[in-house]
Amino acid sequence: MDPAATQTVLVFVFCLCGLQEAAPPQLGRCSGGLCFFQHSVDFGGAQRSCVNSSGRLVESGSEDQMEFSSLLAGSSGRFWLRSAEGANCTAASVRGGEVVAAAVPCRDKLDGFACHYNPAVMCGSLSGDAQYTLSMAAHFQLLGSDSFPPGTVARVGVAQHLDSKHLCYGGWFRAPWSCEVFRGGCEHDCDSNTHTCTCPTTHALHQDGFSCVPKSQLDGCEDGFEHAEDGWSCEDVDECEEDTCTAEGEECVNLPGGYQCTCAHGFAEDDGTCVNTSICKTCEQRCSKVGGAYRCECVEGFTVAPEDPTKCRQQCPGRVCPARCIHDPELEEKNMQQCTCPEGYIVDISNRTASCVDIDECESQDMCDHMCENTFGNYRCACEDGFQLVRGDRCVPLVAQDEDSSGSPPPPGHPPHAPGSLQPAVLPAYIRTGSILGITVFLVLCVVLLVCLVQSLTRRCGSLDLTSIKHPDMDIFYLQQVSTETYKRLSFDRQSRTDSLRL
């Protein structure tokens, strides 16, 4: 806020602080930048009231007077206006919706006055149920207004306990505000150092920050409340933090001093219980309530699909039933139709009529081991005496079935063991364990013997003397790099030695 605006606020505040809010309220109404106040006052009092609230009297013959006329709709009497010349006091006489300006003595008390305000300093309506009051020469209650002049105090909540209090001056300020303005909105007093509200010693400050409550009322909290951290005030208990509403489809809503169980999204209350209705949005045909719950149903000629309870599939009650067709005149001329039948039926068009005829699966292929019985849209298998049906189509001898320790049919892809089977018998667990242990011990002994043998051979090879097996005439040659001359010399020496031996 700029310094000029701050100075205006201080002047405005000092003019209002001496007013008594307890005075009987008068009526007022504001719209846009104009306010009409119904109060018996002379010209000087009307002019001071407008100035003290940062406004001015509506001038006679101006556009404001035209808007003032609409603001006075339904009213009658004489109301103060400001004359352009300022020499005489002017009043607006209202009779039957017509407004006529007339000169009257300034000392007379008329029925009210109208003030013009800068729209920039006006405040709009607060959300919620609020009561707006303005203290000028009198205490005015503003009803049916869409804008409010500076100094208006808005009280939000019920009369017994207000939720909040606000002051208008270029915007709404929540209590406690500055202590210089209506004691900061405090119910008792305001601390100018901390700009907080204070209470008498017998009272405590309410959690709203501006009202006081007797401490005697805070000694014991009512049901649904508990002592706050300050030790003397009470605060609401949130019962919804615990598992309070446990029925299916319920959710908890916390309330001051209590709670309420309501139906969650996708559920609706029915006979005191929350019933799931979300499935009805996905039903292909229709939805109905059965046994306290909603579920999808199908019309006649259809049944609920086992793989999806929200879908319906066609059903035939006998061997032949009408097919469901999408009629197309062009296709019908060719004796063809786009028709469908349930699973296990085939479309048969005869005499330009499409029907669904049951397929005899027992004739088309081998469906069962022993006996096959055709049914409408399906088939079932049966076994001869001495056999038991397994997996719906296999027949297993009862003896083999009894020898099965599990007592359950073999899994898919594994045929049952018939009597006299060449498959080897399964060894008991303890025999398999003993065999593995014996093989392990044998392998360990073999490794130990192999290690001992290697160590013995190593010791013997280390003490072997090659001189004992060396022949006197045995030459031991060593490889070395020689030149061509050396090679010839050595070859000559070797030949000479050989000749001497022969002699």
Side-chain angles (χ1 to χ4, degrees):
M1 185 179 294
D2 55 35
T6 303
Q7 184 177 4
T8 304
V9 171
L10 293 177
V11 174
F12 166 70
V13 166
F14 285 120
C15 292
L16 294 180
C17 285
L19 300 177
Q20 297 294 327
E21 292 190 11
Q26 307 292 329
L27 297 181
R29 183 165 63 250
C30 298
S31 178
L34 294 178
C35 288
F36 157 68
F37 301 100
Q38 189 174 357
H39 175 58
S40 178
V41 64
D42 57 15
F43 177 81
Q47 191 170 25
R48 285 191 299 272
S49 296
C50 289
V51 172
N52 291 341
S53 60
S54 300
R56 59 178 176 79
L57 275 176
V58 173
E59 185 175 350
S60 174
S62 64
E63 294 182 0
D64 291 342
Q65 183 180 347
M66 303 294 295
E67 297 181 10
F68 175 58
S69 301
S70 62
L71 199 63
L72 291 176
S75 301
S76 61
R78 293 187 303 168
F79 306 94
W80 288 114
L81 296 177
R82 183 170 63 90
S83 175
E85 294 79 10
N88 299 317
C89 295
T90 306
S93 179
V94 181
R95 292 291 184 271
E98 296 183 359
V99 180
V100 179
V104 295
C106 296
R107 62 178 179 276
D108 289 357
K109 290 188 176 181
L110 304 186
D111 299 316
F113 57 94
C115 297
H116 173 83
Y117 298 94
N118 183 359
V121 300
M122 300 287 282
C123 297
S125 300
L126 289 172
S127 59
D129 185 15
Q131 295 182 351
Y132 303 91
T133 57
L134 175 63
S135 295
M136 296 193 304
H139 189 60
F140 292 97
Q141 185 174 0
L142 304 181
L143 301 177
S145 302
D146 55 20
S147 60
F148 304 93
T152 302
V153 176
R155 296 170 174 82
V156 181
V158 296
Q160 292 78 6
H161 172 64
L162 297 178
D163 296 330
S164 60
K165 186 186 295 185
H166 306 262
L167 173 69
C168 170
Y169 194 85
W172 291 109
F173 297 89
R174 183 165 181 166
W177 51 78
S178 177
C179 293
E180 289 78 12
V181 183
F182 297 137
R183 298 196 307 273
C186 299
E187 184 181 88
H188 178 68
D189 203 354
C190 183
D191 189 341
S192 58
N193 295 323
T194 61
H195 295 285
T196 57
C197 298
T198 60
C199 296
T201 56
T202 57
H203 287 66
L205 186 65
H206 193 272
Q207 60 184 3
D208 59 18
F210 59 86
S211 60
C212 299
V213 291
K215 290 184 178 180
S216 59
Q217 296 181 4
L218 302 176
D219 294 338
C221 298
E222 300 179 358
D223 293 339
F225 292 86
E226 62 183 1
H227 286 286
E229 295 181 356
D230 54 21
W232 49 263
S233 61
C234 296
E235 61 183 9
D236 178 54
V237 177
D238 189 358
E239 293 85 356
C240 294
E241 292 182 352
E242 303 178 358
D243 295 334
T244 307
C245 303
T246 57
E248 182 180 1
E250 285 187 345
E251 65 179 4
C252 181
V253 178
N254 186 55
L255 300 174
Y259 68 94
Q260 182 180 5
C261 294
T262 60
C263 293
H265 179 70
F267 289 80
E269 185 177 356
D270 191 352
D271 296 334
T273 59
C274 294
V275 181
N276 187 2
T277 59
S278 59
I279 191 174
C280 293
K281 300 179 181 179
T282 60
C283 292
E284 184 178 15
Q285 292 188 357
R286 66 184 184 185
C287 183
S288 61
K289 180 184 175 184
V290 179
Y294 285 89
R295 69 180 185 185
C296 298
E297 289 188 346
C298 302
V299 298
E300 186 178 358
F302 289 82
T303 183
V304 177
E307 66 277 4
D308 188 350
T310 65
K311 304 297 182 182
C312 295
R313 69 180 185 182
Q314 189 179 354
Q315 182 184 31
C316 281
R319 191 182 69 85
V320 181
C321 65
R324 292 185 61 84
C325 302
I326 300 176
H327 295 286
D328 189 339
E330 296 182 359
L331 294 178
E332 290 177 1
E333 290 179 359
K334 302 176 183 179
N335 200 23
M336 296 177 60
Q337 292 178 330
Q338 296 178 353
C339 302
T340 59
C341 288
E343 185 178 358
Y345 287 79
I346 189 172
V347 177
D348 181 26
I349 300 178
S350 178
N351 297 329
R352 304 177 63 86
T353 302
S355 302
C356 294
V357 180
D358 175 49
I359 300 174
D360 191 348
E361 293 86 357
C362 296
E363 292 183 357
S364 60
Q365 54 184 326
D366 294 334
M367 309 299 295
C368 308
D369 277 356
H370 288 179
M371 296 175 290
C372 179
E373 180 184 359
N374 184 57
T375 60
F376 297 148
N378 209 335
Y379 69 95
R380 58 171 171 260
C381 298
C383 298
E384 299 176 354
D385 294 340
F387 290 83
Q388 183 174 353
L389 187 65
V390 178
R391 295 199 308 267
D393 61 344
R394 303 299 303 275
C395 292
V396 179
L398 291 176
V399 177
Q401 186 70 16
D402 294 340
E403 290 179 355
D404 190 355
S405 60
S406 64
S408 59
H414 295 75
H417 301 310
S421 174
L422 297 179
Q423 295 185 7
V426 180
L427 295 177
Y430 67 88
I431 296 180
R432 295 197 299 269
T433 305
S435 300
I436 295 174
L437 180 61
I439 293 173
T440 304
V441 173
F442 175 75
L443 293 176
V444 171
L445 291 177
C446 291
V447 172
V448 173
L449 291 176
L450 181 61
V451 171
C452 294
L453 180 60
V454 171
Q455 291 179 351
S456 176
L457 292 176
T458 303
R459 289 195 298 270
R460 290 191 178 189
C461 291
S463 60
L464 182 62
D465 187 5
L466 297 177
T467 57
S468 60
I469 61 175
K470 181 179 179 183
H471 192 273
D473 296 331
M474 182 180 297
D475 292 331
I476 298 176
F477 297 96
Y478 301 92
L479 297 177
Q480 62 180 339
Q481 185 177 5
V482 296
S483 64
T484 304
E485 297 297 330
T486 306
Y487 176 75
K488 292 180 179 181
R489 182 176 54 81
L490 290 176
S491 299
F492 177 78
D493 293 342
R494 180 175 180 83
Q495 184 177 4
S496 300
R497 184 179 177 182
T498 303
D499 294 339
S500 61
L501 289 175
R502 288 179 179 177
L503 297 176

